Amino acid sequence: MTTSTAIQMMKPITVSRSALRISTLRASFQKRDNGTVLTAKYHTAPIKIAKAFPLGGGQLGVIVMDVSPGLLAGDRYEFQWQVEEDAHVYLTNQSFTKVHPSSENGEGASMSQWFELGHGAVVESMPEPLMLYRDSAFFSESEVRLSPEAVWMGAEVVCPGRTLRGELFAYREFRNKLNVYYQDQLIYAQNQWIQPSLQQLSAPGCMSDMTHTGLFYAFSDRIGAREAEIVREALVACPEREGQAVTWGVSLTYKHGLSVMAAGKAAWVLQERLAAAWSALRLHLLQLEPLKLLK
């Protein structure tokens, strides 16, 4: 398959919101005798693949670069990842995703991600945290399509602003959607919508005195009650950090999946907890040791 043919076969993303500037990154991966390789890619500035490198055991690491200062009002980033049978890709980025202010009546920024996993493929999507600046508005939508025995794991940490500057839930709006399909059956749907000016986020039962949130997802037809218990055990074993309380929970989803939800007062402590969940599941499902990359 040629590069141009592979790119053309990738599903186009339908833009659900208007955008002044659309930047695209598309990539496809295949399993070869020497491991997973990048077989096709296409990008438009300011996003690109900075580096793709073997990690051993057939895995390929991919680091995404954004050469801009962040997402400005009217920006939209579109990512498409096609991972074919038995290929294994670890995805991350170089630094925080920063969302800049937008006017009250203007367009915010948006991002879409689409993952297609072939039979037995593995994707581990572990980006750096999302930072929502004062007066920003951000709309994120992701779609995952799984084949039998495929594994998709992903994490996200959301910061409520630059807290050392006094920004605390000063953004205008944050909407986050995730749909997961297994063989064309919708098995998970999440739709989060936060508007700090209209919601009592500090109320008991909501955020209370917590400020940062973290999510870890894992979906595969190989996930059940035993996997959820392994993740719980890993989180219980995490060391407590002085002055850094963390609230967390682990749940099985409707079908073929589990989720970890956590809340705390700093991004790094949530990253530590979610990494523990990811590492435990990675070892159990894939028989692979934790990844520890310096960026």
Side-chain angles (χ1 to χ4, degrees), residues 209-210 240-247 263-266 269-270 273:
D209 61 343
M210 300 299 184
E240 298 293 330
R241 303 301 184 187
E242 185 177 356
Q244 295 292 340
V246 176
T247 298
K265 297 181 180 180
V269 71
L270 294 181
R273 295 299 175 97

Side-chain angles (χ1 to χ4, degrees), residues 23 25 46-48 63-73 75-79 81 91-101 108-113 125-134 136-142 155-162 167 171 173-176 212-213 267 271 295:
S23 301
L25 173 55
I47 52 176
K48 60 183 286 188
I63 297 180
V64 175
M65 172 191 292
D66 180 356
V67 298
S68 76
L71 285 140
L72 306 179
D75 284 350
R76 180 175 177 86
Y77 289 177
E78 297 183 348
F79 297 92
W81 308 102
L91 298 170
T92 189
N93 54 358
Q94 290 183 318
S95 63
F96 281 45
T97 297
K98 298 173 283 291
V99 185
H100 290 263
S110 60
M111 179 186 295
S112 67
Q113 296 197 81
S125 178
M126 303 292 161
E128 293 297 315
L130 171 68
M131 176 68 73
L132 299 169
Y133 288 179
R134 181 184 300 275
S136 64
F138 186 57
F139 308 88
S140 174
E141 53 185 345
S142 300
E156 61 183 42
V157 173
V158 180
C159 305
R162 293 165 291 188
E167 290 181 0
Y171 58 87
E173 184 176 5
F174 173 50
R175 189 160 188 173
N176 190 16
H212 296 62
T213 57
Q271 287 179 290
K295 302 180 191 176

